[in-house]
Amino acid sequence: VEEPEQSLVVIGEGALDESSAGQCAELDAFIEQGGHVVVLAQTNAPAFSTKLFLEPREWVSQPYIRLPMHPLLAAQPARGWPEITTWDLHFWAPDRVTARGSYAKPRGGPIVPLVDSGTESGLEYSQLLEGYYGRGMYLLCQLPLVRVFNEEPLARELFARTINYAGGQHGWLNPTHRLRLIATPDDLVESRMREVGVQYDLVTAEA
């Protein structure tokens, strides 16, 4: 895709079956060159560069906001947008279910959970994530913004915010430059960087 910056692709709710989910790998080049992709609620995870696992049986009524400062969730007085709080995401109309299916939180890589949930073992799942690849980004949203658009006011609010945000020029984080790590080869910090999936160029102190 030539000159994809500020271009937006939206994948509608329930649009991905096993075959088309695999075809999402073709969007990697679009994202890498600066494109933005929004994936609305699915039962199959898109095959992006970061491996994703979607558990369709993980239904949620009480998710939690993890990054309240993100533009999708923070107050924006200039636009008349109030802050969206954790309470706003609980027990959505019409059936008190806020998400049907959740992504398992990736153990590493350039992806940030914005909303999460879990059990006694921890907050292991996310219903809203933002990932980065090259100059672009993608949003994964399991909140049923379209399905309950008419019944749930917050669904309408978040749908408008999501399209407004993703249609903008830049994501909240935009790691376009490669990290340069000053360290000795195979020391502890380099090992930890590899473990969490950080891509970097190693620069020795003598360089």
Side-chain angles (χ1 to χ4, degrees), residues 20 27 43-44 58 62 84 97-98 106 111 140 176 183 187 207:
S20 56
L27 287 171
T43 55
N44 294 279
E58 186 65 25
Q62 293 181 276
I84 293 178
V97 177
T98 309
I111 191 164
L140 307 170
T176 58
D187 70 4

Side-chain angles (χ1 to χ4, degrees), residues 1-203:
V1 180
E2 295 184 1
E3 299 298 330
E5 289 199 51
Q6 301 185 49
S7 296
L8 173 63
V9 170
V10 178
I11 299 177
E13 288 187 5
L16 299 180
D17 56 21
E18 291 186 7
S19 175
S20 56
Q23 293 171 359
C24 287
E26 299 177 14
L27 287 171
D28 277 349
F30 170 78
I31 299 170
E32 186 175 20
Q33 294 174 35
H36 296 177
V37 176
V38 173
V39 183
L40 298 176
Q42 305 295 328
T43 55
N44 294 279
F48 288 153
S49 57
T50 299
K51 186 171 179 59
L52 303 164
F53 175 72
L54 176 61
E55 175 50 79
R57 298 169 297 179
E58 186 65 25
W59 289 26
V60 180
S61 291
Q62 293 181 276
Y64 301 92
I65 288 178
R66 187 55 45 212
L67 285 179
M69 71 289 293
H70 190 278
L72 279 178
L73 305 168
Q76 298 192 37
R79 291 177 170 170
W81 291 358
E83 177 187 3
I84 293 178
T85 70
T86 286
W87 297 108
D88 293 320
L89 299 184
H90 288 185
F91 304 116
W92 272 16
D95 51 14
R96 301 174 68 81
V97 177
T98 309
R100 289 171 165 78
S102 304
Y103 288 95
K105 287 184 179 178
R107 295 185 178 275
I111 191 164
V112 181
L114 309 181
V115 173
D116 59 19
S117 67
T119 62
E120 64 276 1
S121 59
L123 297 173
E124 301 173 336
Y125 293 96
S126 180
Q127 295 73 42
L128 183 60
L129 305 96
E130 182 168 334
Y132 308 95
Y133 187 55
R135 300 201 308 269
M137 66 90 172
Y138 54 92
L139 279 170
L140 307 170
C141 181
Q142 284 300 110
L143 306 175
L145 305 185
V146 174
R147 188 178 65 83
V148 300
F149 186 90
N150 291 327
E151 295 88 359
E152 175 53 56
L154 256 296
R156 296 193 293 274
E157 175 80 12
L158 270 173
F159 182 78
R161 291 192 186 201
T162 297
I163 300 304
N164 181 281
Y165 167 71
Q169 185 172 1
H170 299 295
W172 182 56
L173 299 176
N174 198 14
T176 58
H177 299 290
R178 191 174 176 91
L179 173 67
R180 302 184 73 188
L181 173 65
I182 300 176
T184 56
D186 298 317
D187 70 4
L188 185 59
V189 66
E190 188 188 14
S191 298
R192 295 295 181 260
M193 289 283 191
R194 288 200 301 267
E195 287 176 13
V196 300
V198 175
Q199 296 183 1
Y200 60 89
D201 293 320
L202 182 64
V203 179

